[in-house]
Amino acid sequence: MNELILFFRNNSKWFMFIIYVVISCMLLFQHNPYQHHIYLTSANAVASGAYGLGSEVTSYFNLREINADLNARNAALQSEVVNLREQLDILQEKNYTDTMVTDSTMQHFRFIVAHVINNSVSKPYNYLTINKGSNDGVKAEWGVIDQNGVVGIISNVGPHSARVISLLNPNFRLSCKVKNSDGFGSLVWDGKDPSIALLEELPRHTIYHKGDTVVTSGYSAVFPPGLPVGRVITEDQNRKENFFTLKVELFADFTTLSNVQVVVNNYRAELKALEAGEKEEEEENIKNPFKQ
Amino acid sequence: MSKTLLNILLSILLLVPAQAVIFNNLILFNVAVPLVFIYVIVSLPVTLSTNVSLTIAFITGLAVDIFGDTQGVNALACTLLAFIRKPVYHLYMSIDDDLAGMRPSLRTMGYSPYMKYLLTMTLLYCFAVFAIEAFQFHNFGLMLLRIICSTAFTFVIIYAIDSLSIRQRQREKKL
């Protein structure tokens, strides 16, 4: 017994070492970012407090570019409003009957404005922290966009802050398509350049040209369809495989992110329930296929 | 002893938030990351028991991980660094020199041995961090470039911090 205690005491540094290595590895190999504990992410009170203080100072640094971006966006929206108003006038003039259908897709969505207080672009797995949390109505798995395009998806929510899985994180795949074409693929970051991502698994028949806009497909409840994401920079080429990959230059500048909007889907619960119901039905059919 | 621990605690409380708020944003050309907080581990007194230094290193690494959202990467690398700290120190200094119980620094070790010690520790740490990250990710050339650039950058900043503290001490002596 004494020898055993002596053995443990003499080799205590090895045991300590092994214990710490095992704990670190347990953290390291917890791959699903949604399962990270709130205290171990940057959305906890201490970290978000420190980042909040830091961003109080640094948020002024990029204001010039952000202003330019906002102005450009503003101009685009303004022209869109004018165009739509004209169209509306024309339609009304034509005395289109009262059954006229307006484009209602955007009415499902509401936006919460938030401020980025922590951001990284150089790690293999990047995350952001924003200064809105559950007290402001933010929930996990909601989308985040900025004035230029898609930014990420919320993974962990604290009372006053939330952690966002950045688009620059291979854990996050975004369903996208080339504008004005029907084939869709998934957008994923390859870990190299923070301004370029890959649009993978596009079907062979998809038509694209260099410079085409890539938009969200809307095949999920997270992002509304048609949100701009990036621009195709791969040259036109012959394709031999059934699926191919495009290089996409992202519209959102992740190095100067400042103000973002959280996308709130008002019909999300309904959609989820519907999908869950479908899944159950499917499982039932698999279990007893001869029920009917 | 308690004064030493207090000093260490103070350096952790200073360097970890500084790493999170300042140095994590000081990335040059998207390859050189200054991992300045390892100064905490590099400057632990040599006579400190391995168990205590392992614990300090693990907590420091975990804190940086929490701030940087790098689940366990820095905690693991810091633990490794604390474990090989003494052997690395004895590479450049003979056993008798550490009886004074001083923190390794320019003043206590001398110019050349400290440079070598610091460079070895920084290189090992950067290698560990980027290898652990790359373990989940395949980009070998970029990883190598990041290791080299980050080592150089971190080395320069820690060296600067250390020489600053020397100058301050000399000034105190004069007064």
Coordinates of all heavy atoms in Angstrom, one line a residue, chain B residues 94-143:
Chain B
S94 N 22.8 25.1 -17.0 CA 23.2 23.9 -16.2 C 22.3 23.8 -15.0 O 21.6 24.8 -14.6 CB 24.7 24.0 -15.8 OG 24.9 25.1 -15.0
I95 N 22.2 22.6 -14.4 CA 21.3 22.4 -13.3 C 21.5 23.4 -12.1 O 20.5 23.9 -11.5 CB 21.4 20.9 -12.7 CG1 21.5 20.0 -13.9 CG2 20.4 20.6 -11.7 CD1 20.2 19.5 -14.4
D96 N 22.7 23.7 -11.8 CA 23.0 24.5 -10.6 C 22.4 25.9 -10.7 O 22.2 26.6 -9.7 CB 24.5 24.6 -10.4 CG 25.1 23.3 -10.2 OD1 24.4 22.4 -9.5 OD2 26.2 23.0 -10.6
D97 N 22.2 26.4 -11.9 CA 21.8 27.8 -12.1 C 20.4 28.1 -11.6 O 20.1 29.2 -11.3 CB 21.9 28.2 -13.6 CG 23.4 28.3 -14.0 OD1 24.2 28.7 -13.1 OD2 23.7 28.1 -15.2
D98 N 19.6 27.0 -11.5 CA 18.2 27.4 -11.2 C 17.9 27.4 -9.7 O 16.8 27.5 -9.2 CB 17.2 26.4 -11.9 CG 17.4 25.0 -11.5 OD1 17.6 24.7 -10.3 OD2 17.4 24.1 -12.4
L99 N 18.9 27.2 -8.9 CA 18.7 27.2 -7.4 C 18.2 28.5 -6.9 O 17.6 28.6 -5.8 CB 20.0 26.8 -6.7 CG 20.4 25.3 -6.8 CD1 21.7 25.0 -6.2 CD2 19.3 24.5 -6.1
A100 N 18.5 29.6 -7.6 CA 18.1 30.9 -7.1 C 16.6 31.0 -7.1 O 16.0 31.9 -6.5 CB 18.7 32.0 -8.0
G101 N 15.8 30.2 -7.9 CA 14.4 30.3 -7.9 C 13.9 31.5 -8.7 O 12.8 32.0 -8.4
M102 N 14.6 31.9 -9.6 CA 14.3 33.1 -10.4 C 13.4 32.7 -11.6 O 13.4 31.6 -12.0 CB 15.5 33.8 -10.9 CG 16.3 34.4 -9.8 SD 15.4 35.5 -8.8 CE 16.1 37.1 -9.3
R103 N 12.7 33.7 -12.1 CA 11.9 33.5 -13.3 C 12.9 33.6 -14.5 O 13.8 34.5 -14.5 CB 10.8 34.6 -13.5 CG 9.9 34.7 -12.3 CD 9.0 35.9 -12.5 NE 7.7 35.4 -12.3 CZ 6.6 35.9 -12.9 NH1 6.7 36.8 -13.8 NH2 5.4 35.5 -12.6
P104 N 12.8 32.8 -15.5 CA 13.6 32.9 -16.6 C 13.4 34.2 -17.3 O 12.3 34.5 -17.7 CB 13.2 31.7 -17.5 CG 12.5 30.8 -16.7 CD 11.9 31.6 -15.6
S105 N 14.4 35.0 -17.5 CA 14.3 36.3 -18.2 C 15.7 36.7 -18.7 O 16.7 36.0 -18.4 CB 13.7 37.3 -17.3 OG 14.7 37.7 -16.3
L106 N 15.7 37.8 -19.4 CA 17.0 38.3 -19.9 C 18.0 38.5 -18.8 O 19.1 38.2 -18.9 CB 16.7 39.6 -20.6 CG 16.6 39.6 -22.1 CD1 16.4 41.0 -22.6 CD2 17.8 39.0 -22.8
R107 N 17.5 39.0 -17.7 CA 18.3 39.4 -16.6 C 18.9 38.2 -15.9 O 20.1 38.2 -15.5 CB 17.5 40.3 -15.6 CG 18.2 41.2 -14.7 CD 17.3 42.1 -14.0 NE 16.1 41.4 -13.5 CZ 16.1 41.1 -12.2 NH1 17.0 41.4 -11.4 NH2 15.0 40.5 -11.7
T108 N 18.0 37.2 -15.6 CA 18.5 36.1 -14.8 C 19.3 35.1 -15.7 O 20.1 34.3 -15.1 CB 17.3 35.3 -14.2 OG1 16.4 35.0 -15.2 CG2 16.7 36.2 -13.1
M109 N 19.0 35.0 -17.0 CA 19.6 33.9 -17.8 C 20.8 34.5 -18.6 O 21.6 33.7 -19.1 CB 18.6 33.3 -18.7 CG 17.7 32.3 -18.0 SD 16.5 31.6 -19.1 CE 17.4 30.5 -20.0
G110 N 20.8 35.7 -18.9 CA 21.8 36.2 -19.8 C 21.2 36.3 -21.2 O 20.2 35.6 -21.5
Y111 N 21.9 37.0 -22.1 CA 21.4 37.3 -23.4 C 21.2 36.1 -24.3 O 20.1 35.8 -24.6 CB 22.4 38.3 -24.0 CG 22.0 38.9 -25.4 CD1 20.9 39.8 -25.4 CD2 22.6 38.4 -26.5 CE1 20.6 40.3 -26.7 CE2 22.2 38.9 -27.7 CZ 21.2 39.9 -27.8 OH 20.8 40.4 -29.0
S112 N 22.2 35.4 -24.5 CA 22.2 34.3 -25.5 C 21.3 33.1 -25.0 O 20.5 32.6 -25.8 CB 23.6 33.9 -25.9 OG 23.6 32.6 -26.4
P113 N 21.5 32.6 -23.8 CA 20.7 31.5 -23.4 C 19.2 31.8 -23.4 O 18.4 31.0 -23.8 CB 21.2 31.2 -22.0 CG 22.5 31.8 -21.9 CD 22.5 33.0 -22.8
Y114 N 18.9 33.1 -23.0 CA 17.4 33.4 -22.9 C 16.8 33.5 -24.3 O 15.7 33.0 -24.5 CB 17.3 34.8 -22.2 CG 15.8 35.1 -22.1 CD1 15.0 34.4 -21.2 CD2 15.2 36.2 -22.8 CE1 13.6 34.6 -21.1 CE2 13.9 36.4 -22.7 CZ 13.1 35.7 -21.8 OH 11.8 36.0 -21.7
M115 N 17.6 34.0 -25.3 CA 17.1 34.1 -26.7 C 16.8 32.7 -27.2 O 15.8 32.4 -27.7 CB 18.2 34.7 -27.6 CG 18.4 36.2 -27.3 SD 17.4 37.1 -28.4 CE 18.4 37.2 -29.9
K116 N 17.8 31.7 -26.9 CA 17.6 30.4 -27.4 C 16.4 29.7 -26.7 O 15.6 29.1 -27.4 CB 18.9 29.6 -27.1 CG 20.0 29.9 -28.0 CD 21.2 28.9 -27.6 CE 22.5 29.5 -28.0 NZ 23.6 28.9 -27.2
Y117 N 16.3 29.9 -25.4 CA 15.2 29.3 -24.6 C 13.9 29.8 -25.1 O 12.9 29.0 -25.4 CB 15.4 29.7 -23.1 CG 14.2 29.4 -22.2 CD1 13.9 28.1 -21.9 CD2 13.5 30.5 -21.7 CE1 12.8 27.9 -21.0 CE2 12.4 30.3 -20.9 CZ 12.1 29.0 -20.5 OH 11.0 28.8 -19.7
L118 N 13.8 31.1 -25.3 CA 12.5 31.7 -25.7 C 12.1 31.3 -27.1 O 11.0 30.9 -27.4 CB 12.6 33.3 -25.7 CG 11.4 34.1 -26.0 CD1 10.3 33.7 -25.1 CD2 11.6 35.5 -25.9
L119 N 13.1 31.2 -28.0 CA 12.9 30.8 -29.4 C 12.4 29.4 -29.4 O 11.4 29.0 -30.1 CB 14.1 31.0 -30.2 CG 13.9 30.9 -31.7 CD1 13.0 32.0 -32.2 CD2 15.2 30.9 -32.5
T120 N 13.1 28.5 -28.7 CA 12.7 27.1 -28.6 C 11.2 26.9 -28.1 O 10.4 26.2 -28.7 CB 13.6 26.3 -27.7 OG1 14.9 26.7 -28.0 CG2 13.5 24.8 -28.0
M121 N 10.9 27.6 -27.0 CA 9.6 27.5 -26.4 C 8.5 28.0 -27.4 O 7.5 27.4 -27.6 CB 9.5 28.3 -25.1 CG 10.4 27.8 -24.0 SD 9.7 26.2 -23.4 CE 8.6 26.8 -22.1
T122 N 8.8 29.2 -28.0 CA 7.8 29.8 -28.9 C 7.6 28.8 -30.1 O 6.5 28.6 -30.5 CB 8.3 31.1 -29.4 OG1 9.0 31.8 -28.4 CG2 7.2 32.0 -29.9
L123 N 8.7 28.3 -30.7 CA 8.6 27.4 -31.8 C 7.8 26.2 -31.5 O 6.9 25.8 -32.2 CB 10.0 27.1 -32.3 CG 10.0 26.2 -33.6 CD1 9.4 26.9 -34.7 CD2 11.4 25.7 -33.9
L124 N 8.1 25.6 -30.3 CA 7.4 24.4 -29.9 C 5.9 24.7 -29.7 O 5.0 23.9 -30.1 CB 7.9 23.9 -28.6 CG 9.3 23.2 -28.7 CD1 9.9 22.9 -27.3 CD2 9.1 21.8 -29.4
Y125 N 5.6 25.9 -29.1 CA 4.2 26.2 -28.9 C 3.4 26.4 -30.2 O 2.3 25.9 -30.4 CB 4.0 27.4 -28.0 CG 2.6 27.6 -27.6 CD1 2.1 26.8 -26.6 CD2 1.8 28.5 -28.2 CE1 0.8 27.0 -26.2 CE2 0.5 28.6 -27.9 CZ 0.0 27.9 -26.9 OH -1.4 28.0 -26.6
C126 N 4.0 27.2 -31.1 CA 3.4 27.5 -32.3 C 3.2 26.2 -33.1 O 2.1 25.9 -33.7 CB 4.2 28.5 -33.2 SG 4.1 30.1 -32.5
F127 N 4.2 25.3 -33.1 CA 4.1 24.0 -33.8 C 2.9 23.2 -33.2 O 2.1 22.7 -33.9 CB 5.4 23.3 -33.6 CG 5.3 21.9 -34.3 CD1 5.4 21.9 -35.7 CD2 5.1 20.8 -33.6 CE1 5.4 20.6 -36.4 CE2 5.0 19.5 -34.3 CZ 5.1 19.5 -35.6
A128 N 2.9 23.2 -31.8 CA 1.8 22.4 -31.2 C 0.4 23.0 -31.6 O -0.5 22.2 -32.0 CB 2.0 22.5 -29.7
V129 N 0.2 24.3 -31.4 CA -1.1 24.9 -31.7 C -1.5 24.6 -33.1 O -2.6 24.2 -33.4 CB -1.0 26.4 -31.4 CG1 -2.2 27.1 -32.1 CG2 -1.1 26.7 -29.9
F130 N -0.6 24.9 -34.1 CA -1.1 24.8 -35.5 C -1.2 23.3 -35.9 O -2.0 23.0 -36.8 CB -0.1 25.6 -36.4 CG -0.3 27.1 -36.2 CD1 0.7 27.8 -35.6 CD2 -1.4 27.7 -36.5 CE1 0.6 29.2 -35.4 CE2 -1.6 29.1 -36.3 CZ -0.6 29.8 -35.7
A131 N -0.4 22.5 -35.3 CA -0.5 21.0 -35.6 C -1.8 20.5 -35.1 O -2.5 19.7 -35.7 CB 0.7 20.3 -35.0
I132 N -2.2 20.9 -33.8 CA -3.5 20.5 -33.3 C -4.6 21.0 -34.1 O -5.6 20.2 -34.4 CB -3.6 20.9 -31.8 CG1 -2.6 20.2 -30.9 CG2 -5.0 20.6 -31.3 CD1 -2.4 20.9 -29.6
E133 N -4.5 22.2 -34.6 CA -5.6 22.8 -35.4 C -5.6 22.0 -36.7 O -6.7 21.7 -37.2 CB -5.4 24.3 -35.7 CG -5.9 25.1 -34.6 CD -5.8 26.6 -34.9 OE1 -5.1 26.9 -35.9 OE2 -6.3 27.4 -34.1
A134 N -4.5 21.8 -37.3 CA -4.4 21.1 -38.6 C -4.8 19.7 -38.5 O -5.1 19.1 -39.5 CB -3.0 21.2 -39.2
F135 N -4.7 19.1 -37.3 CA -5.2 17.7 -37.1 C -6.6 17.5 -37.6 O -7.0 16.5 -38.0 CB -5.0 17.4 -35.6 CG -5.2 16.0 -35.3 CD1 -4.3 15.1 -35.8 CD2 -6.2 15.6 -34.5 CE1 -4.4 13.7 -35.5 CE2 -6.3 14.3 -34.1 CZ -5.4 13.3 -34.6
Q136 N -7.4 18.6 -37.5 CA -8.8 18.5 -37.9 C -8.9 19.1 -39.3 O -10.0 19.3 -39.8 CB -9.7 19.4 -37.0 CG -9.3 19.3 -35.5 CD -9.9 20.4 -34.7 OE1 -9.9 21.5 -35.1 NE2 -10.5 20.0 -33.6
F137 N -7.8 19.4 -40.0 CA -7.9 20.3 -41.2 C -6.7 20.0 -42.1 O -5.6 19.9 -41.5 CB -8.0 21.7 -40.7 CG -8.8 22.6 -41.6 CD1 -10.2 22.5 -41.6 CD2 -8.1 23.5 -42.5 CE1 -10.9 23.3 -42.5 CE2 -8.9 24.2 -43.3 CZ -10.2 24.2 -43.3
H138 N -6.9 20.0 -43.4 CA -5.7 19.6 -44.2 C -5.2 20.8 -45.0 O -5.9 21.2 -46.0 CB -6.0 18.5 -45.1 CG -6.6 17.3 -44.3 ND1 -5.8 16.5 -43.5 CD2 -7.9 16.9 -44.1 CE1 -6.6 15.7 -42.9 NE2 -7.8 15.8 -43.3
N139 N -4.1 21.4 -44.7 CA -3.6 22.5 -45.4 C -2.1 22.7 -45.1 O -1.7 23.6 -44.4 CB -4.3 23.8 -45.0 CG -4.9 24.4 -46.2 OD1 -4.4 24.3 -47.3 ND2 -6.0 25.1 -46.0
F140 N -1.3 21.7 -45.5 CA 0.0 21.6 -44.9 C 0.9 22.8 -45.1 O 1.5 23.3 -44.2 CB 0.7 20.3 -45.4 CG 1.9 20.0 -44.6 CD1 1.8 19.5 -43.3 CD2 3.2 20.2 -45.1 CE1 2.9 19.2 -42.5 CE2 4.3 19.9 -44.3 CZ 4.2 19.4 -43.1
G141 N 1.0 23.3 -46.4 CA 1.9 24.4 -46.7 C 1.5 25.6 -45.9 O 2.4 26.3 -45.3
L142 N 0.2 25.9 -45.8 CA -0.2 27.1 -45.0 C 0.1 26.9 -43.6 O 0.5 27.9 -42.9 CB -1.7 27.2 -45.2 CG -2.3 28.5 -44.7 CD1 -1.9 29.7 -45.5 CD2 -3.9 28.4 -44.7
M143 N 0.0 25.7 -43.0 CA 0.3 25.4 -41.6 C 1.7 25.7 -41.3 O 2.1 26.4 -40.4 CB -0.1 24.0 -41.3 CG 0.2 23.6 -39.9 SD 0.0 21.8 -39.7 CE 1.6 21.4 -39.2

